[in-house]
Amino acid sequence: MQTAEIRRRWLDFFADRGHTVVPSASLVSDDPTLLFTVAGMVPFIPYLTGLVPAPYPRATSVQKCIRTLDIEEVGKTPRHGTFFQMNGNFSFGDYFKDQAIEYAWELLTNSEQDGGYGFSPDDLWVTIYEEDDDAFRFWKKTAGLPDERIQRLGMDTNYWSTGLPGPAGPCSEIFFDRGPAYGADGGPATDDDRYVEIWNLVFMQYLRGEGRSKNDFEILGELPRKNIDTGMGLERVAFLKQGVENMYEIDQVRPVLDRAAELSGRRYGADHDDDVRMRVVADHVRSSLMLMADGVTPSNEGRGYILRRLLRRSVRAMRLLGVDAATFPELFPASRDAMKAAYPEVEADYARIGRLAYGEEETFLKTLESGTSILDVAVEKVRKSGSRQLEGDVAFQLHDTFGFPIDLTVEMAEEAGLSVDRSAFDTLMAEQRNRAKADARAKKTLLADLSVYSDFRAKGETVFTGYEFLETDSTVLGIIVGGESVQRAGVGDIADVILAETSLYAESGGQEADAGRIVGADFELEVLDVQRPVKGLISHKVEVTGGEVGVGDAATSIVDPQWRRGATQAHSATHVIHAALREVLGPQAHQAGSYNKAGYMRLDFNWNQALSPATRTEIEELSNNAIRNNLEVETRVMPLAEAKALGAMALFGEKYGETVRVVDIGGPWSRELCAGTHVSRSSEIGLINLVSEASVGSSNRRIESLVGLEGFRDLALERTIVSQLSANLKTPREQLPERIADLMASLKAAEKKIAEFQSAALAQRVPALIDSAQRAGGLTRVVENLGTVGSADDVRTLATTVRSRLGLEAGLVALAAEVASGGGPAKPVVIVATNEGARSLGVRAGELSKLAAGILGGGGGGKDDLAQGGGTDSAAIGAALEAIAKALPA
């Protein structure tokens, strides 16, 4: 049974039983505490927790998911994948435990001819929470399973909660027994790969309180509305129904694995390590394809970092398979063709996806070359020290800074006859993960705080009137201070205020929130921010600047008209520049993010090379011509499908409902889905002044522009600067570039001449320094304060010259000086140089420079033969040189 058929049967089964079929949400989660959609229930969390009223009593979906917590297990077990699809059915206070169990058993065991999956009841086992007698009774009644195949397990495996106060409840998992050839008898309790979990039924029936751990918390009582949340792993069922050994061999994944085998010339099934690497490639390429289809681009943070890691692990795995050349142009099309039937967007948008993937692979292959060079230097250093082990911090630096995989470091170190201090590396990685977990916990707390909004959201959605009006009369529905709902707030309080209607725009779609006020008969509030903490609800963060505001008070929201005008100019400018970009560069230059506020906008777009000055000028001229042509700006509200049929662009990272707002500037020239505020005609934008264009990743560029009056002010400032230069240099404006270039050339020639004079003067000091040499303890030493010199390089040159003049006898040179620092105050520097004879006596330049630098109030160090130190206390130069002298052999 093909994966697409398993998916179709699921949706048909539950649709026939009154469930609303909900399309998969994006892999980019709406939940601010999650980077990705990690489970099928994530899009339904607001309904399951009661934060937002459910729009339907029961629902079903096949949800795209990404999880990378077990990334190291990918390829090693039959079921671990970073991208997977979760079939789910959900009840929001409708049916409960008995019906959920009945549905699950019916779909699993009905024959394929009758629309089921055709599993034999003899192959299925069930686990339940150890105290859930209701589940035990329902399973006996529905499935007739013998008692020993309904295993009672503890809270750590069969009890669900978010980890925070809120909904919780027992769960029941369904397992398929693969047979004695795959492991020990004894059922799922053995935790053996023989038993594959295929479906988890969560019975959300209790309200939990605070707890000391995952398994230790207080149950406060039953929920007034009990919910059902179930999830069946589509890939797990697929590999069982297709008779293959694991999820990497199913129809949606195997083509990539086979292509990796062909490219490497190795046969799948011949070698365990190679098999794991091919599975990693197959999994990670598919996951990367799906992430990029949902708008994620490679970067060094957040979602982009996860994507980059998946891509680089794929490159690494192919390298370990013996392929050093680029492989993504072969692997990604194989994945595209396997996934396009279920997700047509991967084919429709493949030009962009392929460009991102191929560019990232090319960049990483170059990074591997750089990392290899750095590793070679580190290996040589270890060899010279006599050690046989590469330090863990070196391996961590290669991993963290250069993206160099640890197992590649281990492999290459072993080729050089060295081991890697994995213990130290693992400690550093653990510290990094702990920092990340601490950050995640901090973010998770924010989710708990959202529960305070549930009562307000239950009263309905906030009505936004700001498209038509800058002022709107309304009523205060709620006030939140310090995370708690209160009845009143007074002068000086910072509060979140919920209104029934508002004209103030909440930050979204790249547009910053409106500035403004909320006023009433007895109060005045300054608006600090406007957000949508939960879907459908607008919250105003305010400072009470006068009087006292209370729940139920009449209130008027007032938008700062100058701010709004600037914000609409900037947002419309973003659309205009996006259209101009696509006209100049082509449709593959797709927006990848934006931010705009009064007077300023920036736009990130998919492109992998810098724009030439001529191209920047062309984009700027096109944009300002659109302004000059006074194009009409039209907004329309329509169904999403109709908007897409009209060619309206849906921007990555944005979430759209079934009804959307379409903004046209000049008709189809710029047609985008957008909920932001806009000018009514393009001439109202005023002016677009592109001020920068730069890289924000290997495949992304960023344009920044000043808009309207701010753009004019910037140009006026440049005009003033040019006028001043023209007057001071007595040169016409159009000749300034040549005049300045001539002056720079003259200055460089003068600096070179000065440097030559200084070098000659320093060279004349060599004989005197040689004459100052003293000999003690078998060592000739020159320890001198040079006074003030031009640069640390001069001191270094003098030190090495004197060292060479000392001949073959053991010698040390320690020179200190004050060095001018870019026109700032002079700072002390010390250079220590030793020859081979001195080092044989145990004299180390690095140790001595570090000693002196500590006295100078700074730091230093270096190699045994030449080292440098510095600081801030020039008065301590004498003491620093004296310390060096005392440290030498007597």
Side-chain angles (χ1 to χ4, degrees), residues 100-124:
I101 289 173
E102 185 177 322
Y103 283 152
W105 191 253
E106 181 182 358
L107 179 55
L108 284 174
T109 60
N110 272 5
S111 69
E112 294 185 12
Q113 291 77 12
D114 293 332
Y117 291 136
F119 284 105
S120 168
D122 295 338
D123 293 329
L124 300 179

Side-chain angles (χ1 to χ4, degrees), residues 13-22 44 54-61 88-96 99 103 225 228:
F13 178 87
F14 284 104
D16 290 344
R17 288 154 182 79
H19 292 66
T20 297
V21 176
V22 179
F44 300 98
Y56 24 68
R58 50 176 74 180
T60 186
S61 69
N89 61 287
F90 307 90
S91 165
F92 312 108
D94 188 9
Y95 62 85
F96 195 50
Q99 188 67 71
Y103 283 152
R225 290 171 59 85
I228 287 293

